Amino acid sequence: MKITWLGQSSVQIITDNQLTILIDPFIKDNPLVKTTVAELNPDYILVTHAHYDHVGDTIELAKQSNATVISITDLANYFKSEGLTVEELNFGGQLTLPFGSVKLVPAWHTAALAIDGKPRTLGVAAGFELHIAGKVLYHAGDTALFSDMKLVNHMEPVDLAFLPIGDTYTMGLEDAAIAAEFVQAKKVVPIHYNTFTKIEQDPVEFVQLLNDGVGIIPEIDVPFEF
Ligand code: NI
Ligand code: MN
């Protein structure tokens, strides 16, 4: 599969059978990403939680590409009310799809979105466990460190984990390094850093806290093979 980090928590996965999965597409208001909304053509959009830097351009993208949006029930109901095609999940639920499967797993974080200028809470924050072509990927969304991360993939190693390291709103470097151990990640991509001043972090410093060879620091917009 081909994976591209699009800054913040946004990750694009193109599977070997040419299906495109886009997680947390925060494109237009992200100063660091060069890829444009018009260039993206997802089949599935997975949204971890209702914060604006994760919902991002979901509505526009889903309309332009006819993508199915997958999120926690309460947020899925909001997307449905905006005319989108959705698949809802709640914690522990797993969906089988043409590329593999998606499971909604817990995160420790909040989840409100400004709608017509008023903040509305839409479910709670979550993460995703993806099974694609025999590999297990874990996108933690925004979260604090918590010990039940150990239950991701039934306590078996995760092949690739996307973990937030920005601090302030999520785990910082040290907690994220422990999270990598909790999920026994074979590879880890740090996300949710340097987009704004409040989440400035050095990803190299983070990678040094991991076991040798575990950390991957992709360049934004540049795909890598996994
Ligand atoms: Ni958030
Ligand atoms: Mn966030």
Side-chain angles (χ1 to χ4, degrees):
M1 66 190 93
K2 198 181 278 182
I3 297 176
T4 313
W5 181 45
L6 296 168
Q8 195 68 344
S9 300
S10 189
V11 175
Q12 177 176 260
I13 302 163
I14 301 178
T15 63
D16 293 343
N17 57 346
Q18 298 306 311
L19 289 169
T20 301
I21 304 154
L22 195 52
I23 307 171
D24 288 355
F26 176 62
I27 308 296
K28 276 192 179 161
D29 292 329
N30 184 344
L32 303 182
V33 70
K34 290 189 188 75
T35 303
T36 62
V37 166
E39 288 171 299
L40 296 166
N41 188 24
D43 297 292
Y44 299 93
I45 303 173
L46 278 53
V47 184
T48 59
H49 65 292
H51 283 154
Y52 79 100
D53 57 318
H54 300 262
V55 169
D57 308 293
T58 295
I59 293 174
E60 184 176 340
L61 271 165
K63 285 186 176 166
Q64 111 188 349
S65 63
N66 280 319
T68 299
V69 181
I70 302 169
S71 68
I72 199 163
T73 306
D74 316 69
L75 180 55
N77 285 336
Y78 163 66
F79 289 133
K80 202 173 169 185
S81 76
E82 290 291 322
L84 307 186
T85 303
V86 302
E87 284 276 12
E88 57 175 329
L89 279 172
N90 219 316
F91 294 125
Q94 194 162 16
L95 257 178
T96 301
L97 294 160
F99 62 81
S101 69
V102 179
K103 185 176 182 180
L104 198 77
V105 296
W108 269 104
H109 190 73
T110 58
L113 185 66
I115 297 170
D116 299 328
K118 288 188 180 159
R120 267 175 58 192
T121 297
L122 297 166
V124 294
F128 290 108
E129 177 187 314
L130 299 161
H131 293 250
I132 303 170
K135 287 187 173 134
V136 181
L137 284 68
Y138 169 50
H139 189 297
D142 280 358
T143 187
L145 174 67
F146 61 105
S147 60
D148 279 358
M149 278 178 182
K150 290 176 186 172
L151 300 173
V152 170
N153 196 32
H154 297 138
M155 304 175 90
E156 293 293 320
V158 163
D159 292 291
L160 179 62
F162 297 94
L163 301 175
I165 64 160
D167 218 325
T168 309
Y169 306 106
T170 68
M171 303 186 279
L173 305 186
E174 286 173 8
D175 282 0
I178 295 169
E181 276 178 36
F182 279 2
V183 302
Q184 302 174 59
K186 292 178 189 167
K187 295 282 177 190
V188 174
V189 170
I191 57 171
H192 209 269
Y193 66 92
N194 287 357
T195 317
F196 315 111
T197 15
K198 280 192 167 181
I199 56 171
E200 271 174 15
Q201 292 293 345
D202 180 0
V204 175
E205 204 180 310
F206 170 66
V207 164
Q208 284 165 354
L209 299 174
L210 305 172
N211 291 332
D212 282 352
V214 170
I216 302 174
I217 306 173
E219 212 179 302
I220 295 174
D221 299 298
V222 180
F224 63 96
E225 200 60 46
F226 186 75

